[in-house]
PDB file of all heavy atoms in Angstrom:
ATOM      1  N   VAL A 502     -12.447  -5.416  46.586  1.00 71.00           N
ATOM      2  CA  VAL A 502     -11.639  -4.275  46.322  1.00 71.00           C
ATOM      3  C   VAL A 502     -10.686  -4.092  47.448  1.00 71.00           C
ATOM      4  O   VAL A 502     -11.046  -3.993  48.629  1.00 71.00           O
ATOM      5  CB  VAL A 502     -12.509  -2.980  46.174  1.00 71.00           C
ATOM      6  CG1 VAL A 502     -11.677  -1.748  45.975  1.00 71.00           C
ATOM      7  CG2 VAL A 502     -13.510  -3.156  45.046  1.00 71.00           C
ATOM      8  N   VAL A 503      -9.388  -4.030  47.103  1.00 69.00           N
ATOM      9  CA  VAL A 503      -8.311  -3.799  48.172  1.00 69.00           C
ATOM     10  C   VAL A 503      -7.687  -2.430  48.018  1.00 69.00           C
ATOM     11  O   VAL A 503      -6.999  -1.982  48.945  1.00 69.00           O
ATOM     12  CB  VAL A 503      -7.265  -4.891  48.074  1.00 69.00           C
ATOM     13  CG1 VAL A 503      -7.860  -6.251  48.408  1.00 69.00           C
ATOM     14  CG2 VAL A 503      -6.624  -4.965  46.714  1.00 69.00           C
ATOM     15  N   ASP A 504      -7.858  -1.839  46.884  1.00 74.00           N
ATOM     16  CA  ASP A 504      -7.282  -0.422  46.756  1.00 74.00           C
ATOM     17  C   ASP A 504      -8.084   0.300  45.680  1.00 74.00           C
ATOM     18  O   ASP A 504      -8.511  -0.305  44.682  1.00 74.00           O
ATOM     19  CB  ASP A 504      -5.856  -0.443  46.398  1.00 74.00           C
ATOM     20  CG  ASP A 504      -5.157   0.872  46.541  1.00 74.00           C
ATOM     21  OD1 ASP A 504      -5.693   1.749  47.291  1.00 74.00           O
ATOM     22  OD2 ASP A 504      -4.128   1.092  45.889  1.00 74.00           O
ATOM     23  N   GLY A 505      -8.282   1.566  45.887  1.00 69.00           N
ATOM     24  CA  GLY A 505      -8.992   2.378  44.915  1.00 69.00           C
ATOM     25  C   GLY A 505     -10.457   2.404  45.188  1.00 69.00           C
ATOM     26  O   GLY A 505     -10.936   2.052  46.293  1.00 69.00           O
ATOM     27  N   PRO A 506     -11.279   2.825  44.247  1.00 79.00           N
ATOM     28  CA  PRO A 506     -10.811   3.268  42.933  1.00 79.00           C
ATOM     29  C   PRO A 506     -10.171   4.602  42.994  1.00 79.00           C
ATOM     30  O   PRO A 506     -10.487   5.449  43.752  1.00 79.00           O
ATOM     31  CB  PRO A 506     -12.168   3.322  42.139  1.00 79.00           C
ATOM     32  CG  PRO A 506     -13.221   3.604  43.145  1.00 79.00           C
ATOM     33  CD  PRO A 506     -12.786   2.881  44.372  1.00 79.00           C
ATOM     34  N   ASP A 507      -9.137   4.750  42.033  1.00 80.00           N
ATOM     35  CA  ASP A 507      -8.550   6.008  41.816  1.00 80.00           C
ATOM     36  C   ASP A 507      -8.984   6.543  40.457  1.00 80.00           C
ATOM     37  O   ASP A 507      -9.092   5.767  39.481  1.00 80.00           O
ATOM     38  CB  ASP A 507      -6.996   5.904  41.858  1.00 80.00           C
ATOM     39  CG  ASP A 507      -6.493   5.634  43.280  1.00 80.00           C
ATOM     40  OD1 ASP A 507      -7.051   6.178  44.205  1.00 80.00           O
ATOM     41  OD2 ASP A 507      -5.569   4.877  43.432  1.00 80.00           O
ATOM     42  N   ILE A 508      -9.216   7.791  40.326  1.00 81.00           N
ATOM     43  CA  ILE A 508      -9.618   8.476  39.082  1.00 81.00           C
ATOM     44  C   ILE A 508      -8.672   9.484  38.639  1.00 81.00           C
ATOM     45  O   ILE A 508      -8.362  10.410  39.399  1.00 81.00           O
ATOM     46  CB  ILE A 508     -11.097   9.012  39.214  1.00 81.00           C
ATOM     47  CG1 ILE A 508     -12.095   7.889  39.457  1.00 81.00           C
ATOM     48  CG2 ILE A 508     -11.420   9.764  37.902  1.00 81.00           C
ATOM     49  CD1 ILE A 508     -13.479   8.405  39.650  1.00 81.00           C
ATOM     50  N   ILE A 509      -8.130   9.350  37.437  1.00 78.00           N
ATOM     51  CA  ILE A 509      -7.188  10.294  36.870  1.00 78.00           C
ATOM     52  C   ILE A 509      -7.872  10.943  35.647  1.00 78.00           C
ATOM     53  O   ILE A 509      -8.354  10.232  34.750  1.00 78.00           O
ATOM     54  CB  ILE A 509      -5.904   9.611  36.392  1.00 78.00           C
ATOM     55  CG1 ILE A 509      -5.275   8.845  37.609  1.00 78.00           C
ATOM     56  CG2 ILE A 509      -4.910  10.579  35.782  1.00 78.00           C
ATOM     57  CD1 ILE A 509      -4.165   7.951  37.253  1.00 78.00           C
ATOM     58  N   SER A 510      -7.873  12.304  35.590  1.00 76.00           N
ATOM     59  CA  SER A 510      -8.543  13.049  34.520  1.00 76.00           C
ATOM     60  C   SER A 510      -7.551  13.854  33.764  1.00 76.00           C
ATOM     61  O   SER A 510      -6.681  14.461  34.287  1.00 76.00           O
ATOM     62  CB  SER A 510      -9.611  13.919  35.140  1.00 76.00           C
ATOM     63  OG  SER A 510     -10.048  14.855  34.126  1.00 76.00           O
ATOM     64  N   ARG A 511      -7.646  13.729  32.405  1.00 73.00           N
ATOM     65  CA  ARG A 511      -6.826  14.572  31.557  1.00 73.00           C
ATOM     66  C   ARG A 511      -7.747  15.121  30.397  1.00 73.00           C
ATOM     67  O   ARG A 511      -8.380  14.375  29.701  1.00 73.00           O
ATOM     68  CB  ARG A 511      -5.673  13.819  30.887  1.00 73.00           C
ATOM     69  CG  ARG A 511      -4.605  13.365  31.890  1.00 73.00           C
ATOM     70  CD  ARG A 511      -3.873  14.607  32.442  1.00 73.00           C
ATOM     71  NE  ARG A 511      -2.760  14.179  33.357  1.00 73.00           N
ATOM     72  CZ  ARG A 511      -2.915  14.031  34.672  1.00 73.00           C
ATOM     73  NH1 ARG A 511      -4.092  14.240  35.238  1.00 73.00           N
ATOM     74  NH2 ARG A 511      -1.884  13.743  35.393  1.00 73.00           N
ATOM     75  N   GLY A 512      -7.732  16.423  30.232  1.00 72.00           N
ATOM     76  CA  GLY A 512      -8.536  17.052  29.200  1.00 72.00           C
ATOM     77  C   GLY A 512     -10.025  17.009  29.385  1.00 72.00           C
ATOM     78  O   GLY A 512     -10.776  17.329  28.467  1.00 72.00           O
ATOM     79  N   PHE A 513     -10.467  16.574  30.597  1.00 72.00           N
ATOM     80  CA  PHE A 513     -11.913  16.505  30.884  1.00 72.00           C
ATOM     81  C   PHE A 513     -12.323  17.611  31.827  1.00 72.00           C
ATOM     82  O   PHE A 513     -13.121  18.472  31.456  1.00 72.00           O
ATOM     83  CB  PHE A 513     -12.210  15.114  31.437  1.00 72.00           C
ATOM     84  CG  PHE A 513     -13.553  14.967  32.010  1.00 72.00           C
ATOM     85  CD1 PHE A 513     -14.731  15.288  31.266  1.00 72.00           C
ATOM     86  CD2 PHE A 513     -13.784  14.508  33.345  1.00 72.00           C
ATOM     87  CE1 PHE A 513     -15.992  15.189  31.788  1.00 72.00           C
ATOM     88  CE2 PHE A 513     -15.050  14.436  33.892  1.00 72.00           C
ATOM     89  CZ  PHE A 513     -16.140  14.735  33.044  1.00 72.00           C
ATOM     90  N   VAL A 514     -11.798  17.613  32.993  1.00 64.00           N
ATOM     91  CA  VAL A 514     -12.060  18.669  33.977  1.00 64.00           C
ATOM     92  C   VAL A 514     -10.738  19.011  34.625  1.00 64.00           C
ATOM     93  O   VAL A 514      -9.862  18.180  34.764  1.00 64.00           O
ATOM     94  CB  VAL A 514     -13.100  18.303  35.031  1.00 64.00           C
ATOM     95  CG1 VAL A 514     -14.498  18.194  34.433  1.00 64.00           C
ATOM     96  CG2 VAL A 514     -12.739  17.004  35.765  1.00 64.00           C
ATOM     97  N   TYR A 515     -10.556  20.243  35.082  1.00 56.00           N
ATOM     98  CA  TYR A 515      -9.398  20.611  35.841  1.00 56.00           C
ATOM     99  C   TYR A 515      -9.567  20.145  37.231  1.00 56.00           C
ATOM    100  O   TYR A 515     -10.485  20.532  37.976  1.00 56.00           O
ATOM    101  CB  TYR A 515      -9.279  22.178  35.773  1.00 56.00           C
ATOM    102  CG  TYR A 515      -7.970  22.693  36.478  1.00 56.00           C
ATOM    103  CD1 TYR A 515      -6.835  22.141  36.169  1.00 56.00           C
ATOM    104  CD2 TYR A 515      -8.063  23.777  37.357  1.00 56.00           C
ATOM    105  CE1 TYR A 515      -5.640  22.563  36.759  1.00 56.00           C
ATOM    106  CE2 TYR A 515      -6.931  24.214  37.917  1.00 56.00           C
ATOM    107  CZ  TYR A 515      -5.716  23.663  37.622  1.00 56.00           C
ATOM    108  OH  TYR A 515      -4.564  24.113  38.209  1.00 56.00           O
ATOM    109  N   VAL A 516      -8.684  19.266  37.631  1.00 52.00           N
ATOM    110  CA  VAL A 516      -8.773  18.531  38.910  1.00 52.00           C
ATOM    111  C   VAL A 516      -9.021  19.443  40.120  1.00 52.00           C
ATOM    112  O   VAL A 516      -9.835  19.247  40.965  1.00 52.00           O
ATOM    113  CB  VAL A 516      -7.675  17.575  39.110  1.00 52.00           C
ATOM    114  CG1 VAL A 516      -7.704  16.893  40.458  1.00 52.00           C
ATOM    115  CG2 VAL A 516      -7.575  16.555  37.978  1.00 52.00           C
ATOM    116  N   ARG A 517      -8.187  20.482  40.189  1.00 57.00           N
ATOM    117  CA  ARG A 517      -8.246  21.342  41.329  1.00 57.00           C
ATOM    118  C   ARG A 517      -9.557  22.018  41.540  1.00 57.00           C
ATOM    119  O   ARG A 517     -10.069  22.276  42.704  1.00 57.00           O
ATOM    120  CB  ARG A 517      -7.150  22.433  41.239  1.00 57.00           C
ATOM    121  CG  ARG A 517      -6.946  23.253  42.499  1.00 57.00           C
ATOM    122  CD  ARG A 517      -5.799  24.192  42.338  1.00 57.00           C
ATOM    123  NE  ARG A 517      -4.564  23.494  42.170  1.00 57.00           N
ATOM    124  CZ  ARG A 517      -3.419  24.060  41.817  1.00 57.00           C
ATOM    125  NH1 ARG A 517      -3.342  25.376  41.654  1.00 57.00           N
ATOM    126  NH2 ARG A 517      -2.289  23.316  41.702  1.00 57.00           N
ATOM    127  N   ASP A 518     -10.228  22.291  40.448  1.00 53.00           N
ATOM    128  CA  ASP A 518     -11.614  22.938  40.531  1.00 53.00           C
ATOM    129  C   ASP A 518     -12.724  21.901  40.544  1.00 53.00           C
ATOM    130  O   ASP A 518     -13.859  22.273  40.737  1.00 53.00           O
ATOM    131  CB  ASP A 518     -11.776  23.838  39.267  1.00 53.00           C
ATOM    132  CG  ASP A 518     -10.846  24.991  39.281  1.00 53.00           C
ATOM    133  OD1 ASP A 518     -10.297  25.336  40.375  1.00 53.00           O
ATOM    134  OD2 ASP A 518     -10.587  25.545  38.179  1.00 53.00           O
ATOM    135  N   SER A 519     -12.390  20.634  40.454  1.00 63.00           N
ATOM    136  CA  SER A 519     -13.443  19.633  40.319  1.00 63.00           C
ATOM    137  C   SER A 519     -13.234  18.501  41.297  1.00 63.00           C
ATOM    138  O   SER A 519     -13.616  17.341  41.005  1.00 63.00           O
ATOM    139  CB  SER A 519     -13.517  19.122  38.857  1.00 63.00           C
ATOM    140  OG  SER A 519     -13.627  20.131  37.941  1.00 63.00           O
ATOM    141  N   GLU A 520     -12.587  18.768  42.452  1.00 70.00           N
ATOM    142  CA  GLU A 520     -12.305  17.717  43.380  1.00 70.00           C
ATOM    143  C   GLU A 520     -13.602  17.026  43.880  1.00 70.00           C
ATOM    144  O   GLU A 520     -13.694  15.839  44.041  1.00 70.00           O
ATOM    145  CB  GLU A 520     -11.520  18.230  44.563  1.00 70.00           C
ATOM    146  CG  GLU A 520     -10.089  18.615  44.173  1.00 70.00           C
ATOM    147  CD  GLU A 520      -9.330  19.233  45.392  1.00 70.00           C
ATOM    148  OE1 GLU A 520      -9.969  19.379  46.439  1.00 70.00           O
ATOM    149  OE2 GLU A 520      -8.172  19.459  45.211  1.00 70.00           O
ATOM    150  N   ASP A 521     -14.670  17.863  44.082  1.00 76.00           N
ATOM    151  CA  ASP A 521     -15.940  17.328  44.562  1.00 76.00           C
ATOM    152  C   ASP A 521     -16.520  16.352  43.548  1.00 76.00           C
ATOM    153  O   ASP A 521     -17.043  15.283  43.921  1.00 76.00           O
ATOM    154  CB  ASP A 521     -16.901  18.441  44.865  1.00 76.00           C
ATOM    155  CG  ASP A 521     -16.475  19.254  46.054  1.00 76.00           C
ATOM    156  OD1 ASP A 521     -15.629  18.819  46.827  1.00 76.00           O
ATOM    157  OD2 ASP A 521     -17.030  20.405  46.175  1.00 76.00           O
ATOM    158  N   LEU A 522     -16.495  16.681  42.248  1.00 80.00           N
ATOM    159  CA  LEU A 522     -17.043  15.819  41.205  1.00 80.00           C
ATOM    160  C   LEU A 522     -16.293  14.509  41.162  1.00 80.00           C
ATOM    161  O   LEU A 522     -16.918  13.443  41.143  1.00 80.00           O
ATOM    162  CB  LEU A 522     -16.928  16.535  39.829  1.00 80.00           C
ATOM    163  CG  LEU A 522     -17.321  15.680  38.627  1.00 80.00           C
ATOM    164  CD1 LEU A 522     -18.751  15.256  38.689  1.00 80.00           C
ATOM    165  CD2 LEU A 522     -16.957  16.339  37.275  1.00 80.00           C
ATOM    166  N   LEU A 523     -14.945  14.554  41.185  1.00 77.00           N
ATOM    167  CA  LEU A 523     -14.192  13.259  41.101  1.00 77.00           C
ATOM    168  C   LEU A 523     -14.435  12.410  42.385  1.00 77.00           C
ATOM    169  O   LEU A 523     -14.406  11.188  42.334  1.00 77.00           O
ATOM    170  CB  LEU A 523     -12.737  13.607  40.899  1.00 77.00           C
ATOM    171  CG  LEU A 523     -12.402  14.353  39.536  1.00 77.00           C
ATOM    172  CD1 LEU A 523     -10.903  14.557  39.358  1.00 77.00           C
ATOM    173  CD2 LEU A 523     -12.956  13.567  38.325  1.00 77.00           C
ATOM    174  N   GLU A 524     -14.542  13.126  43.542  1.00 78.00           N
ATOM    175  CA  GLU A 524     -14.785  12.357  44.794  1.00 78.00           C
ATOM    176  C   GLU A 524     -16.123  11.722  44.737  1.00 78.00           C
ATOM    177  O   GLU A 524     -16.264  10.564  45.175  1.00 78.00           O
ATOM    178  CB  GLU A 524     -14.694  13.311  45.977  1.00 78.00           C
ATOM    179  CG  GLU A 524     -14.532  12.660  47.275  1.00 78.00           C
ATOM    180  CD  GLU A 524     -13.240  11.789  47.347  1.00 78.00           C
ATOM    181  OE1 GLU A 524     -12.194  12.218  46.805  1.00 78.00           O
ATOM    182  OE2 GLU A 524     -13.297  10.710  47.932  1.00 78.00           O
ATOM    183  N   GLU A 525     -17.141  12.370  44.249  1.00 80.00           N
ATOM    184  CA  GLU A 525     -18.479  11.792  44.064  1.00 80.00           C
ATOM    185  C   GLU A 525     -18.419  10.607  43.077  1.00 80.00           C
ATOM    186  O   GLU A 525     -19.072   9.580  43.338  1.00 80.00           O
ATOM    187  CB  GLU A 525     -19.450  12.860  43.525  1.00 80.00           C
ATOM    188  CG  GLU A 525     -19.947  13.834  44.537  1.00 80.00           C
ATOM    189  CD  GLU A 525     -20.967  14.813  43.898  1.00 80.00           C
ATOM    190  OE1 GLU A 525     -21.902  14.264  43.255  1.00 80.00           O
ATOM    191  OE2 GLU A 525     -20.786  16.023  44.040  1.00 80.00           O
ATOM    192  N   ALA A 526     -17.648  10.745  41.996  1.00 80.00           N
ATOM    193  CA  ALA A 526     -17.474   9.661  41.079  1.00 80.00           C
ATOM    194  C   ALA A 526     -16.859   8.425  41.710  1.00 80.00           C
ATOM    195  O   ALA A 526     -17.328   7.296  41.488  1.00 80.00           O
ATOM    196  CB  ALA A 526     -16.613  10.131  39.875  1.00 80.00           C
TER     197      ALA A 526
END
Side-chain angles (χ1 to χ4, degrees):
V502 177
V503 295
D504 192 20
D507 291 321
I508 295 179
I509 303 167
S510 166
R511 291 292 183 271
F513 169 53
V514 291
Y515 184 48
V516 175
R517 188 175 298 173
D518 295 338
S519 306
E520 291 178 356
D521 292 345
L522 172 65
L523 297 183
E524 197 60 40
E525 285 182 48

